[in-house]
Amino acid sequence: QPASDADVLHGLPPLTASINEFKLHQQTGAESSFVVFVIDVAVGELCWTVRHRFKEFHALQQLLSKHNQLVRLPPFPPKRPKLFGGSSLEFVEKRKAALNTWINKVLSIDAIAQSAEIFDFLEVSFHL
């Protein structure tokens, strides 16, 4: 019988994530660009990097809310740039900081940190 996600982390150091940078991507042949946030993930000394767009963080938040209705999740950063003001680079820096705070608060909730949604988002099973 395969081990559950919680069994994989049992006895291991806590799962951590840190967003230290972002990359601006220009779509080929398109006028628009998008930002990808680079997330450094670690379990003890084992470290890897995953990349996600804001909309993927938002989708994760919606999944977590749907599947964990008894757990109070931290507030999710707003979508609207006008709430941050300033230049677009300044906005992305503030969004990066807000997403970093959000993911760390989420990971501080044991029931959520060991969920399939978090494991998929941070590619935990792939690296352990």
Side-chain angles (χ1 to χ4, degrees):
Q1 177 177 351
S4 71
D5 290 338
D7 291 340
V8 171
L9 279 184
H10 184 71
L12 292 176
L15 175 65
T16 62
S18 180
I19 306 170
N20 295 313
E21 63 177 309
F22 59 86
K23 307 272 186 199
L24 183 63
H25 288 269
Q26 184 74 36
Q27 292 180 314
T28 308
E31 295 293 320
S32 64
S33 59
F34 60 92
V35 173
V36 174
F37 296 94
V38 180
I39 309 158
D40 297 321
V41 184
V43 175
E45 293 184 15
L46 183 61
C47 305
W48 63 93
T49 301
V50 295
R51 292 167 174 78
H52 288 291
R53 294 175 66 174
F54 180 82
K55 68 181 185 178
E56 295 168 318
F57 277 92
H58 188 253
L60 172 66
Q61 187 269 341
Q62 291 179 319
L63 273 175
L64 292 174
S65 293
K66 180 180 176 184
H67 295 144
N68 300 281
Q69 294 179 0
L70 300 178
V71 177
R72 184 181 174 103
L73 292 172
F76 191 75
K79 282 181 142 181
R80 303 281 176 245
K82 65 183 178 188
L83 296 178
F84 288 114
S87 71
S88 58
L89 183 59
E90 179 185 358
F91 164 69
V92 175
E93 283 288 352
K94 288 181 178 180
R95 176 172 270 180
K96 176 184 70 115
L99 287 171
N100 189 58
T101 298
W102 180 81
I103 195 71
N104 278 285
K105 286 182 178 178
V106 165
L107 291 177
S108 73
I109 305 167
D110 289 340
I112 304 290
Q114 297 185 8
S115 69
E117 294 86 3
I118 289 291
F119 273 50
D120 289 345
F121 188 78
L122 297 177
E123 301 177 2
V124 174
S125 299
F126 182 76
H127 292 279
L128 291 182

